[in-house]
Amino acid sequence: FDLSSLAATARDYDSQSGSTTHSMKPSGFMFGEGRSGSTVISNAITVAHPQSTRVVVENPAISYLLNACNDLRIKHAISDCNPLAQKLALLDIMYLVGRTHDSFEVNMYIKLSPEDNEYMAVLLDSFPDAKWTFTYRNPDVVLSKNLQKYRDSICRKAKVAPSNAAMEHAQMIGADDFTALTMAEACSAHMVAMRNIAMKESKSRSTGRLIDYDSELKTGTLLIDEILPNVFGIDTADMMTRSRVSDQIGKKSGRTGGNGTWRGYDPDEDESNISMEVKHANNKFFGNRRYL
């Protein structure tokens, strides 16, 4: 299907007299490093007010569109990607993703894949009223987790299809040949570049917040009392809402799908479990800037 024609047809149908279908604009975005807590936030938003809320998690169409220009550069050596065409296509995709015939459904929040962080500005420029968070944590823990078997898709892409931001950061510290980097090093360069982007957006906009997993998400209290109401504008005063969110926070996310019970200990945070490969990669690209 032609995306613009499909979106135009949908908009025309939705605007007809008697139509019960409307499209929700994004109320908020959840960005973050892989395994750093953005899923905790998205799960909490999902259960806070389920009747009126839709949470879209790592939608492949949105991710494909955001990464389209970089993919054209990497796979087809095409560098003249049209940013206006990309933005218009993004608006069309968001309209289609946000469609609903449920009159009670009014808020849509979108959790992005870590590989989409480079395009924060594209999303936030397109939807300037949307609130957002960027989650991060100890980079040694993040890199260790993202190099694990069945979890390494972020690092594999960082190596074979690096973003412009990652390559620019690598060049800044003298690593001009990105292809010579190990997967751990490429992934570390990607992480630093994404943090730099998040910090830049945080300084230039008043709509979002950087969230430290270790100090702000681990216990869950700040998520209920501060992040949901003050960042996303989600009412958490009602005791039933607080109970639902608290119960969800108490579940372990990740490969268990949120069904396991969180025991309060993550073996990946044990310093003895951090490999020298991870430490060397992060020392090379992070240096002493481990925390924002």
Side-chain angles (χ1 to χ4, degrees), residues 138-260:
N138 182 338
D140 288 345
V141 174
V142 175
L143 187 53
S144 291
K145 287 179 174 290
N146 286 328
L147 287 172
Q148 291 172 0
K149 190 176 182 180
Y150 305 121
R151 285 180 163 185
D152 63 354
S153 60
I154 297 170
C155 289
R156 280 190 284 107
K157 180 163 186 179
K159 170 65 176 171
V160 302
S163 65
N164 284 325
M167 290 191 294
E168 288 171 4
H169 179 73
Q171 290 172 353
M172 285 177 58
I173 66 165
D176 295 329
D177 184 3
F178 205 90
T179 61
L181 299 181
T182 66
M183 187 162 73
E185 291 173 334
C187 203
S188 182
H190 173 78
M191 288 166 54
V192 177
M194 297 307 104
R195 287 193 182 196
N196 289 340
I197 289 172
M199 285 190 289
K200 178 182 177 182
E201 295 304 320
S202 179
K203 291 176 181 178
S204 64
R205 305 176 193 268
S206 61
T207 51
R209 177 169 162 178
L210 308 179
I211 306 291
D212 179 1
Y213 172 85
D214 294 311
S215 64
E216 299 181 272
L217 285 182
K218 245 181 182 179
T219 64
T221 303
L222 280 177
L223 177 56
I224 297 174
D225 293 335
E226 172 68 22
I227 297 170
L228 293 188
N230 294 340
V231 177
F232 291 107
I234 297 172
D235 186 1
T236 57
D238 177 72
M239 289 306 299
M240 292 186 66
T241 300
R242 296 178 68 87
S243 179
R244 286 194 301 270
V245 175
S246 182
D247 287 346
Q248 179 59 51
I249 294 171
K251 297 177 181 179
K252 183 180 179 182
S253 61
R255 283 177 288 178
T256 62
N259 296 320

Side-chain angles (χ1 to χ4, degrees), residues 23-76:
S23 180
M24 300 173 286
K25 290 184 178 180
S27 299
F29 296 106
M30 289 147 281
F31 304 96
E33 299 170 342
R35 323 298 167 188
S36 67
S38 59
T39 299
V40 176
I41 297 176
S42 67
N43 287 346
I45 292 176
T46 299
V47 302
H49 299 285
Q51 188 176 22
S52 61
T53 302
R54 177 186 300 180
V55 176
V56 179
V57 178
E58 299 185 13
N59 182 282
I62 295 173
S63 183
Y64 178 84
L65 182 58
L66 290 172
N67 287 273
C69 290
N70 193 48
D71 288 344
L72 286 173
R73 176 180 61 82
I74 295 292
K75 297 176 182 178
H76 305 288

